[in-house]
Amino acid sequence: MRIVLPVLLLGAALASLSPARAGAGDCGDAAALLQQAYPEARKSADGASFTLAPHTSIAATLPESDAPFGLICKIWPAHDDLLLVAVPLIDRANGDHLHVGDIELLVVDTNTLRVRQRLLQPGLMTDDMIVIEKVEFDTGRYALAPDVSAFGLRIEMAHHSLTAPFTETDLRLYAITGDTLRVVLDGLVVAGHSGDSDGSCAGYFHSSQVSLMISPASHHGYHDITAVERSNTDNPSPDQNGECQSHPAKSVKRTYRLRYDGNRYPVPAALKVMGL
């Protein structure tokens, strides 16, 4: 995990490239959906969860406070006959971590609930002191090629501290090639907050905003993605009267070009999720 990271917010972009999000509300009969996707799973007495051997838990419904670890569904606007489903697979026999788990992405036929594609993403539901607070689909118009539309998954993590606040949201993009669901952009930091302070006033805070735009230029048949980052810093301190005053520095703009390499879009080091 990073101790200090820029704030990165995904902005609006060319061709309405703005996030459209939804949670478990689009799941409909969540229990039936899970039973279809995991026929070997054992259903709990109240129907709110399932267990996969030996001790992996799948929550169909959860209270709002635990929502990141329950089922997440969203109709895919680019293909409105398909339902996107994110299934957190939580290991109930974990050790030192707050949560240990994977997430499996399903592309489901809305009429039959048949799973058309699926992709397991190991470790994405594991957290500790920096906790997972939100998981959601991003169905902005990621038109990467004439016949390829991608969707995104955002995972927001946070460490709530008076002296060292931290949040981060990571974006991954997925596309269907043939009958295969695959990652095309893996681990771009798109939102967050970080800083260091005395807990009263004096400190240092860094934030930035990133706008993603689909470029007309292309490589290996996929359009380039332009990422424009605008960074801001602030060094608040008390004035002679003890009042806390903000001291923002001038914004800094950086532009990155993400080019498809035939497999995926390599992420610039400055915007990459730590550990990738």
Side-chain angles (χ1 to χ4, degrees):
M1 290 295 175
R2 301 182 190 188
I3 302 302
V4 178
L5 266 177
V7 172
L8 298 168
L9 299 173
L10 182 64
L14 189 65
S16 302
L17 191 56
S18 57
R21 306 166 190 156
D26 284 359
C27 290
D29 189 342
L33 195 161
L34 287 173
Q35 197 72 75
Q36 177 91 329
Y38 302 94
E40 73 281 15
R42 300 190 306 274
K43 186 177 179 180
S44 65
D46 61 4
S49 65
F50 291 78
T51 301
L52 291 172
H55 40 64
T56 299
S57 177
I58 304 174
T61 58
L62 281 175
E64 185 66 26
S65 60
D66 295 324
F69 300 94
L71 202 63
I72 301 121
C73 305
K74 175 76 174 80
I75 296 292
W76 191 0
H79 304 278
D80 58 11
D81 60 331
L82 299 178
L83 178 70
L84 304 175
V85 183
V87 186
L89 303 170
I90 306 304
D91 185 351
R92 293 306 180 190
N94 69 76
D96 296 333
H97 293 78
L98 185 60
H99 300 95
V100 171
D102 310 326
I103 195 164
E104 188 163 28
L105 301 179
L106 312 176
V107 179
V108 176
D109 186 298
T110 55
N111 294 317
T112 65
L113 298 186
R114 180 177 67 86
V115 177
R116 292 191 180 182
Q117 289 88 21
R118 63 200 308 159
L119 177 66
L120 182 66
Q121 294 280 264
L124 288 191
M125 297 306 294
T126 298
D127 62 8
D128 41 41
M129 291 182 63
I130 300 177
V131 299
I132 296 172
E133 293 205 324
K134 184 184 293 185
V135 179
E136 60 185 354
F137 283 109
D138 175 351
T139 55
R141 292 183 59 191
Y142 296 100
L144 304 181
D147 57 348
V148 178
S149 294
F151 66 85
L153 185 74
R154 292 165 154 245
I155 299 179
E156 179 182 325
M157 307 187 76
H159 175 58
H160 298 291
S161 167
L162 188 62
T163 58
F166 171 90
T167 63
E168 176 181 287
T169 301
D170 306 331
L171 173 69
R172 290 166 176 83
L173 293 181
Y174 302 87
I176 297 172
T177 303
D179 290 328
T180 302
L181 180 64
R182 63 190 185 88
V183 183
V184 292
L185 177 69
D186 191 6
L188 177 71
V189 178
V190 292
H193 174 76
S194 63
D196 187 13
S197 78
D198 62 4
S200 176
C201 174
Y204 171 83
F205 298 94
H206 184 259
S207 66
S208 66
Q209 180 171 329
V210 170
S211 296
L212 297 183
M213 295 174 286
I214 301 298
S215 169
S218 63
H219 289 81
H220 299 280
Y222 280 49
H223 288 291
D224 296 353
I225 299 175
T226 301
V228 180
E229 178 189 19
R230 291 177 172 84
S231 300
N232 297 279
T233 58
D234 190 15
N235 291 270
S237 62
D239 61 18
Q240 59 184 7
N241 297 317
E243 297 292 328
C244 191
Q245 300 294 334
S246 178
H247 299 285
K250 184 178 180 180
S251 295
V252 176
K253 177 182 174 181
R254 298 180 181 88
T255 300
Y256 305 88
R257 180 64 64 89
L258 283 62
R259 297 180 175 89
Y260 187 70
D261 66 5
N263 181 45
R264 62 181 59 184
Y265 291 88
V267 178
L271 305 181
K272 187 179 293 186
V273 174
M274 184 63 72
L276 290 181

